[in-house]
Amino acid sequence: MTPTLTAFKASPDRGRGLARDMRVRWAFEELGQPYDVRLVTFAEMKAPAHLALHPFGQIPTYEAGELAIFESGAIILHIAQRHAGLLPEEANGRARAITWMFAALSTMEPPIIERETSMFTERDKPWFDERLPAVDGRIRTRLGQLSDRLADADWLDGGFSVGDLLMVSVLQRLGSSGLVAEHPNLAAYVARAEARPAYRRAFEAQYAVFLAAQTT
Ligand code: GTB
C-alpha cells in the first residue's frame, strides 16, 4: 500500500523546500519508497477532516492503511524503521542515529524556529533589533558545538542516516542568515546532503507543486 503524505497546496516558501513535507519526501526518496501526496489549503488544514489526522491542523501527515500519524520526525522514524537505508542495522548505531534525530528536532531546531518566528512576526517591534542578536547568539552556540562534533567527517555518525537528514533539514531553515556559513564544515555538510540524488528528486517534486500553483 502506497502511503499518503499531506503538503501545502500553495506553500508560503514559494518552492524553496522549507515546509516540513520536504524532509518526509526526502526520506521516502532515500528509501526508494513510492508515496502519494494530498495537497491541502490552509482552510482545509483547519477543517475537521484534517484535524482528525493532525490535532494542530498542520502538515505533514502520513496515512497508510489504518495508520495515521503526524509530526515529521515521527513519520520519518516510522518509515526508516520499516525500510532499510536510513538507520544502521546494528543496535548501538541505530540508537545513535535516533539520538541525532532528536538532537536536530529538540536541541537545534527550537532556537532556529524562534529566529524564523521573530523575523516573520516581530520585525516591526521596537525591541526587535535588541532581541535578534540574543537569538542569534543561542543559535551560534549550538552551531559551534555541532561544527566541533562534525569536524572533518562527512556525516554525524558513520554513513548518512536519518539523523543527518533531519539535521540538514533543520540547518536549511537558517537560509540566508549567514549563520551556517560561519562554519565551513557545516556549510559543506549541507551542500553534500543537498547534492544527494534523493534530495534532488524530493526537491523537484515539491517544486513542481509550487509551479503548478502558479498556473492555476
Ligand atoms: N513539529 C511539526 C512537524 O515537524 O511536523 C511542525 C509542523 C509544522 O510546523 N507545519 C507547518 C504548518 O502546517 C508547515 S512547515 N503550518 C500551518 C499552520 O500551522 O497553520 C513550517 C513552515 C511554513 C512556512 C515556511 N516558509 O514559508 O518558508 C517554512 C516552514
Side-chain angles (χ1 to χ4, degrees), residues 23-54:
R23 51 180 69 164
V24 184
R25 291 174 183 272
W26 184 9
F28 275 125
E29 293 291 349
E30 291 283 353
L31 297 167
Q33 292 300 312
Y35 62 100
D36 291 329
V37 178
R38 186 172 69 253
L39 301 176
V40 289
T41 63
F42 273 86
E44 285 165 345
M45 280 192 292
K46 311 303 173 194
H50 190 80
L51 286 171
L53 297 173
H54 196 308

mmCIF file of all heavy atoms in Angstrom, residues 23-54:
data_model
loop_
_atom_site.group_PDB
_atom_site.id
_atom_site.type_symbol
_atom_site.label_atom_id
_atom_site.label_comp_id
_atom_site.label_asym_id
_atom_site.label_seq_id
_atom_site.Cartn_x
_atom_site.Cartn_y
_atom_site.Cartn_z
ATOM 1 N N ARG A 23 11.147 17.159 4.114
ATOM 2 C CA ARG A 23 12.027 16.189 4.763
ATOM 3 C C ARG A 23 11.451 14.775 4.664
ATOM 4 O O ARG A 23 12.193 13.799 4.580
ATOM 5 C CB ARG A 23 12.312 16.612 6.214
ATOM 6 C CG ARG A 23 11.080 16.923 7.027
ATOM 7 C CD ARG A 23 11.361 17.356 8.473
ATOM 8 N NE ARG A 23 11.980 18.653 8.624
ATOM 9 C CZ ARG A 23 12.023 19.319 9.788
ATOM 10 N NH1 ARG A 23 11.507 18.788 10.893
ATOM 11 N NH2 ARG A 23 12.604 20.493 9.877
ATOM 12 N N VAL A 24 10.112 14.675 4.679
ATOM 13 C CA VAL A 24 9.496 13.347 4.562
ATOM 14 C C VAL A 24 9.636 12.830 3.121
ATOM 15 O O VAL A 24 9.946 11.667 2.884
ATOM 16 C CB VAL A 24 8.023 13.365 5.010
ATOM 17 C CG1 VAL A 24 7.441 11.961 4.965
ATOM 18 C CG2 VAL A 24 7.882 13.959 6.405
ATOM 19 N N ARG A 25 9.418 13.725 2.164
ATOM 20 C CA ARG A 25 9.622 13.342 0.753
ATOM 21 C C ARG A 25 11.052 12.821 0.578
ATOM 22 O O ARG A 25 11.294 11.812 -0.099
ATOM 23 C CB ARG A 25 9.446 14.563 -0.158
ATOM 24 C CG ARG A 25 8.038 15.108 -0.279
ATOM 25 C CD ARG A 25 8.094 16.400 -1.089
ATOM 26 N NE ARG A 25 6.833 17.091 -1.248
ATOM 27 C CZ ARG A 25 5.948 16.866 -2.231
ATOM 28 N NH1 ARG A 25 6.181 15.950 -3.132
ATOM 29 N NH2 ARG A 25 4.845 17.583 -2.308
ATOM 30 N N TRP A 26 12.015 13.555 1.160
ATOM 31 C CA TRP A 26 13.436 13.189 1.039
ATOM 32 C C TRP A 26 13.668 11.778 1.625
ATOM 33 O O TRP A 26 14.344 10.947 1.013
ATOM 34 C CB TRP A 26 14.271 14.254 1.755
ATOM 35 C CG TRP A 26 15.752 14.103 1.672
ATOM 36 C CD1 TRP A 26 16.473 13.223 0.889
ATOM 37 C CD2 TRP A 26 16.728 14.861 2.398
ATOM 38 N NE1 TRP A 26 17.824 13.394 1.097
ATOM 39 C CE2 TRP A 26 17.995 14.394 2.018
ATOM 40 C CE3 TRP A 26 16.641 15.882 3.340
ATOM 41 C CZ2 TRP A 26 19.184 14.920 2.547
ATOM 42 C CZ3 TRP A 26 17.812 16.417 3.864
ATOM 43 C CH2 TRP A 26 19.062 15.940 3.469
ATOM 44 N N ALA A 27 13.069 11.534 2.791
ATOM 45 C CA ALA A 27 13.242 10.210 3.398
ATOM 46 C C ALA A 27 12.660 9.120 2.488
ATOM 47 O O ALA A 27 13.298 8.076 2.267
ATOM 48 C CB ALA A 27 12.569 10.178 4.771
ATOM 49 N N PHE A 28 11.479 9.352 1.929
ATOM 50 C CA PHE A 28 10.902 8.356 1.003
ATOM 51 C C PHE A 28 11.848 8.103 -0.162
ATOM 52 O O PHE A 28 12.053 6.968 -0.590
ATOM 53 C CB PHE A 28 9.556 8.851 0.457
ATOM 54 C CG PHE A 28 8.370 8.561 1.336
ATOM 55 C CD1 PHE A 28 7.532 9.585 1.756
ATOM 56 C CD2 PHE A 28 8.055 7.267 1.722
ATOM 57 C CE1 PHE A 28 6.419 9.332 2.544
ATOM 58 C CE2 PHE A 28 6.946 6.989 2.511
ATOM 59 C CZ PHE A 28 6.125 8.035 2.932
ATOM 60 N N GLU A 29 12.417 9.178 -0.682
ATOM 61 C CA GLU A 29 13.314 9.037 -1.842
ATOM 62 C C GLU A 29 14.585 8.285 -1.455
ATOM 63 O O GLU A 29 15.065 7.435 -2.213
ATOM 64 C CB GLU A 29 13.664 10.419 -2.413
ATOM 65 C CG GLU A 29 12.498 11.172 -3.041
ATOM 66 C CD GLU A 29 11.988 10.536 -4.339
ATOM 67 O OE1 GLU A 29 12.658 9.628 -4.875
ATOM 68 O OE2 GLU A 29 10.900 10.935 -4.794
ATOM 69 N N GLU A 30 15.146 8.578 -0.291
ATOM 70 C CA GLU A 30 16.345 7.856 0.164
ATOM 71 C C GLU A 30 16.051 6.362 0.304
ATOM 72 O O GLU A 30 16.907 5.517 0.023
ATOM 73 C CB GLU A 30 16.841 8.399 1.511
ATOM 74 C CG GLU A 30 17.418 9.807 1.476
ATOM 75 C CD GLU A 30 18.841 9.881 0.897
ATOM 76 O OE1 GLU A 30 19.450 8.826 0.645
ATOM 77 O OE2 GLU A 30 19.317 11.009 0.691
ATOM 78 N N LEU A 31 14.836 6.054 0.735
ATOM 79 C CA LEU A 31 14.469 4.658 0.980
ATOM 80 C C LEU A 31 13.962 3.970 -0.281
ATOM 81 O O LEU A 31 13.705 2.763 -0.272
ATOM 82 C CB LEU A 31 13.385 4.597 2.075
ATOM 83 C CG LEU A 31 13.829 5.112 3.451
ATOM 84 C CD1 LEU A 31 12.632 5.327 4.374
ATOM 85 C CD2 LEU A 31 14.828 4.150 4.091
ATOM 86 N N GLY A 32 13.809 4.739 -1.352
ATOM 87 C CA GLY A 32 13.316 4.166 -2.606
ATOM 88 C C GLY A 32 11.866 3.728 -2.509
ATOM 89 O O GLY A 32 11.457 2.769 -3.174
ATOM 90 N N GLN A 33 11.096 4.416 -1.678
ATOM 91 C CA GLN A 33 9.698 4.035 -1.470
ATOM 92 C C GLN A 33 8.759 5.017 -2.165
ATOM 93 O O GLN A 33 8.911 6.233 -1.997
ATOM 94 C CB GLN A 33 9.368 4.012 0.030
ATOM 95 C CG GLN A 33 10.071 2.912 0.783
ATOM 96 C CD GLN A 33 9.715 1.533 0.249
ATOM 97 O OE1 GLN A 33 8.545 1.222 0.042
ATOM 98 N NE2 GLN A 33 10.731 0.717 0.007
ATOM 99 N N PRO A 34 7.773 4.501 -2.888
ATOM 100 C CA PRO A 34 6.790 5.400 -3.509
ATOM 101 C C PRO A 34 5.876 6.013 -2.460
ATOM 102 O O PRO A 34 5.672 5.443 -1.382
ATOM 103 C CB PRO A 34 5.997 4.460 -4.422
ATOM 104 C CG PRO A 34 6.129 3.124 -3.802
ATOM 105 C CD PRO A 34 7.472 3.084 -3.110
ATOM 106 N N TYR A 35 5.351 7.184 -2.766
ATOM 107 C CA TYR A 35 4.393 7.827 -1.859
ATOM 108 C C TYR A 35 3.465 8.693 -2.684
ATOM 109 O O TYR A 35 3.831 9.165 -3.755
ATOM 110 C CB TYR A 35 5.115 8.674 -0.786
ATOM 111 C CG TYR A 35 5.939 9.817 -1.345
ATOM 112 C CD1 TYR A 35 5.437 11.126 -1.349
ATOM 113 C CD2 TYR A 35 7.204 9.608 -1.876
ATOM 114 C CE1 TYR A 35 6.177 12.178 -1.859
ATOM 115 C CE2 TYR A 35 7.951 10.656 -2.404
ATOM 116 C CZ TYR A 35 7.434 11.940 -2.389
ATOM 117 O OH TYR A 35 8.177 12.972 -2.913
ATOM 118 N N ASP A 36 2.255 8.865 -2.182
ATOM 119 C CA ASP A 36 1.307 9.796 -2.798
ATOM 120 C C ASP A 36 1.264 11.059 -1.945
ATOM 121 O O ASP A 36 1.564 11.013 -0.747
ATOM 122 C CB ASP A 36 -0.101 9.189 -2.844
ATOM 123 C CG ASP A 36 -0.179 8.021 -3.817
ATOM 124 O OD1 ASP A 36 0.561 8.045 -4.832
ATOM 125 O OD2 ASP A 36 -0.940 7.079 -3.551
ATOM 126 N N VAL A 37 0.875 12.147 -2.581
ATOM 127 C CA VAL A 37 0.753 13.414 -1.851
ATOM 128 C C VAL A 37 -0.654 13.952 -2.025
ATOM 129 O O VAL A 37 -1.182 13.986 -3.143
ATOM 130 C CB VAL A 37 1.772 14.451 -2.374
ATOM 131 C CG1 VAL A 37 1.608 15.780 -1.631
ATOM 132 C CG2 VAL A 37 3.199 13.932 -2.203
ATOM 133 N N ARG A 38 -1.265 14.340 -0.928
ATOM 134 C CA ARG A 38 -2.547 15.055 -0.998
ATOM 135 C C ARG A 38 -2.276 16.494 -0.583
ATOM 136 O O ARG A 38 -1.781 16.752 0.525
ATOM 137 C CB ARG A 38 -3.578 14.397 -0.067
ATOM 138 C CG ARG A 38 -4.966 15.033 -0.229
ATOM 139 C CD ARG A 38 -6.064 14.280 0.521
ATOM 140 N NE ARG A 38 -5.942 14.395 1.951
ATOM 141 C CZ ARG A 38 -5.546 13.436 2.772
ATOM 142 N NH1 ARG A 38 -5.223 12.235 2.305
ATOM 143 N NH2 ARG A 38 -5.453 13.645 4.062
ATOM 144 N N LEU A 39 -2.573 17.403 -1.493
ATOM 145 C CA LEU A 39 -2.301 18.821 -1.231
ATOM 146 C C LEU A 39 -3.481 19.431 -0.499
ATOM 147 O O LEU A 39 -4.639 19.164 -0.846
ATOM 148 C CB LEU A 39 -2.043 19.553 -2.545
ATOM 149 C CG LEU A 39 -0.866 19.006 -3.363
ATOM 150 C CD1 LEU A 39 -0.764 19.728 -4.697
ATOM 151 C CD2 LEU A 39 0.450 19.120 -2.582
ATOM 152 N N VAL A 40 -3.190 20.253 0.502
ATOM 153 C CA VAL A 40 -4.265 20.866 1.287
ATOM 154 C C VAL A 40 -4.075 22.381 1.355
ATOM 155 O O VAL A 40 -2.948 22.888 1.393
ATOM 156 C CB VAL A 40 -4.334 20.284 2.722
ATOM 157 C CG1 VAL A 40 -4.841 18.857 2.708
ATOM 158 C CG2 VAL A 40 -2.988 20.343 3.437
ATOM 159 N N THR A 41 -5.191 23.067 1.357
ATOM 160 C CA THR A 41 -5.160 24.520 1.538
ATOM 161 C C THR A 41 -5.090 24.810 3.043
ATOM 162 O O THR A 41 -5.321 23.929 3.877
ATOM 163 C CB THR A 41 -6.440 25.170 0.983
ATOM 164 O OG1 THR A 41 -7.545 24.668 1.757
ATOM 165 C CG2 THR A 41 -6.650 24.840 -0.489
ATOM 166 N N PHE A 42 -4.842 26.091 3.390
ATOM 167 C CA PHE A 42 -4.832 26.465 4.810
ATOM 168 C C PHE A 42 -6.209 26.196 5.425
ATOM 169 O O PHE A 42 -6.308 25.709 6.552
ATOM 170 C CB PHE A 42 -4.412 27.926 4.983
ATOM 171 C CG PHE A 42 -2.920 28.074 5.080
ATOM 172 C CD1 PHE A 42 -2.143 28.193 3.935
ATOM 173 C CD2 PHE A 42 -2.285 28.064 6.311
ATOM 174 C CE1 PHE A 42 -0.758 28.303 4.021
ATOM 175 C CE2 PHE A 42 -0.906 28.169 6.417
ATOM 176 C CZ PHE A 42 -0.134 28.291 5.262
ATOM 177 N N ALA A 43 -7.274 26.509 4.672
ATOM 178 C CA ALA A 43 -8.623 26.290 5.205
ATOM 179 C C ALA A 43 -8.863 24.795 5.442
ATOM 180 O O ALA A 43 -9.414 24.397 6.480
ATOM 181 C CB ALA A 43 -9.657 26.853 4.234
ATOM 182 N N GLU A 44 -8.429 23.962 4.509
ATOM 183 C CA GLU A 44 -8.628 22.511 4.678
ATOM 184 C C GLU A 44 -7.858 21.978 5.888
ATOM 185 O O GLU A 44 -8.302 21.051 6.562
ATOM 186 C CB GLU A 44 -8.198 21.780 3.399
ATOM 187 C CG GLU A 44 -9.205 21.948 2.267
ATOM 188 C CD GLU A 44 -8.658 21.565 0.890
ATOM 189 O OE1 GLU A 44 -7.417 21.424 0.737
ATOM 190 O OE2 GLU A 44 -9.476 21.435 -0.036
ATOM 191 N N MET A 45 -6.692 22.571 6.165
ATOM 192 C CA MET A 45 -5.890 22.110 7.305
ATOM 193 C C MET A 45 -6.591 22.336 8.632
ATOM 194 O O MET A 45 -6.301 21.680 9.614
ATOM 195 C CB MET A 45 -4.532 22.831 7.340
ATOM 196 C CG MET A 45 -3.519 22.269 6.382
ATOM 197 S SD MET A 45 -1.884 22.931 6.726
ATOM 198 C CE MET A 45 -2.093 24.618 6.281
ATOM 199 N N LYS A 46 -7.497 23.332 8.651
ATOM 200 C CA LYS A 46 -8.191 23.667 9.901
ATOM 201 C C LYS A 46 -9.586 23.037 9.966
ATOM 202 O O LYS A 46 -10.318 23.263 10.929
ATOM 203 C CB LYS A 46 -8.303 25.195 10.060
ATOM 204 C CG LYS A 46 -7.002 25.950 9.849
ATOM 205 C CD LYS A 46 -5.868 25.480 10.776
ATOM 206 C CE LYS A 46 -4.549 26.142 10.409
ATOM 207 N NZ LYS A 46 -3.374 25.511 11.012
ATOM 208 N N ALA A 47 -9.969 22.296 8.941
ATOM 209 C CA ALA A 47 -11.296 21.679 8.887
ATOM 210 C C ALA A 47 -11.265 20.309 9.588
ATOM 211 O O ALA A 47 -10.202 19.700 9.723
ATOM 212 C CB ALA A 47 -11.750 21.539 7.436
ATOM 213 N N PRO A 48 -12.445 19.837 10.032
ATOM 214 C CA PRO A 48 -12.489 18.611 10.845
ATOM 215 C C PRO A 48 -11.796 17.403 10.215
ATOM 216 O O PRO A 48 -11.139 16.640 10.930
ATOM 217 C CB PRO A 48 -13.992 18.363 11.012
ATOM 218 C CG PRO A 48 -14.601 19.732 10.928
ATOM 219 C CD PRO A 48 -13.771 20.495 9.935
ATOM 220 N N ALA A 49 -11.909 17.230 8.913
ATOM 221 C CA ALA A 49 -11.319 16.021 8.302
ATOM 222 C C ALA A 49 -9.807 15.995 8.510
ATOM 223 O O ALA A 49 -9.224 14.953 8.818
ATOM 224 C CB ALA A 49 -11.662 15.972 6.810
ATOM 225 N N HIS A 50 -9.177 17.161 8.357
ATOM 226 C CA HIS A 50 -7.719 17.182 8.553
ATOM 227 C C HIS A 50 -7.368 17.184 10.042
ATOM 228 O O HIS A 50 -6.376 16.545 10.442
ATOM 229 C CB HIS A 50 -7.096 18.394 7.843
ATOM 230 C CG HIS A 50 -5.595 18.332 7.823
ATOM 231 N ND1 HIS A 50 -4.889 17.559 6.919
ATOM 232 C CD2 HIS A 50 -4.661 18.912 8.617
ATOM 233 C CE1 HIS A 50 -3.585 17.674 7.156
ATOM 234 N NE2 HIS A 50 -3.417 18.497 8.181
ATOM 235 N N LEU A 51 -8.179 17.858 10.857
ATOM 236 C CA LEU A 51 -7.897 17.882 12.303
ATOM 237 C C LEU A 51 -7.987 16.481 12.915
ATOM 238 O O LEU A 51 -7.336 16.201 13.921
ATOM 239 C CB LEU A 51 -8.863 18.835 13.015
ATOM 240 C CG LEU A 51 -8.568 20.320 12.794
ATOM 241 C CD1 LEU A 51 -9.702 21.178 13.343
ATOM 242 C CD2 LEU A 51 -7.246 20.727 13.449
ATOM 243 N N ALA A 52 -8.759 15.603 12.274
ATOM 244 C CA ALA A 52 -8.809 14.227 12.762
ATOM 245 C C ALA A 52 -7.472 13.522 12.534
ATOM 246 O O ALA A 52 -7.089 12.606 13.269
ATOM 247 C CB ALA A 52 -9.927 13.464 12.050
ATOM 248 N N LEU A 53 -6.735 13.982 11.532
ATOM 249 C CA LEU A 53 -5.414 13.407 11.247
ATOM 250 C C LEU A 53 -4.322 14.122 12.031
ATOM 251 O O LEU A 53 -3.310 13.526 12.398
ATOM 252 C CB LEU A 53 -5.090 13.553 9.748
ATOM 253 C CG LEU A 53 -5.993 12.842 8.758
ATOM 254 C CD1 LEU A 53 -5.608 13.248 7.338
ATOM 255 C CD2 LEU A 53 -5.840 11.338 8.936
ATOM 256 N N HIS A 54 -4.500 15.434 12.187
ATOM 257 C CA HIS A 54 -3.455 16.256 12.801
ATOM 258 C C HIS A 54 -4.118 17.225 13.777
ATOM 259 O O HIS A 54 -4.748 18.196 13.364
ATOM 260 C CB HIS A 54 -2.700 17.035 11.713
ATOM 261 C CG HIS A 54 -1.399 17.595 12.184
ATOM 262 N ND1 HIS A 54 -1.293 18.356 13.326
ATOM 263 C CD2 HIS A 54 -0.138 17.501 11.674
ATOM 264 C CE1 HIS A 54 -0.016 18.705 13.492
ATOM 265 N NE2 HIS A 54 0.704 18.193 12.515
#
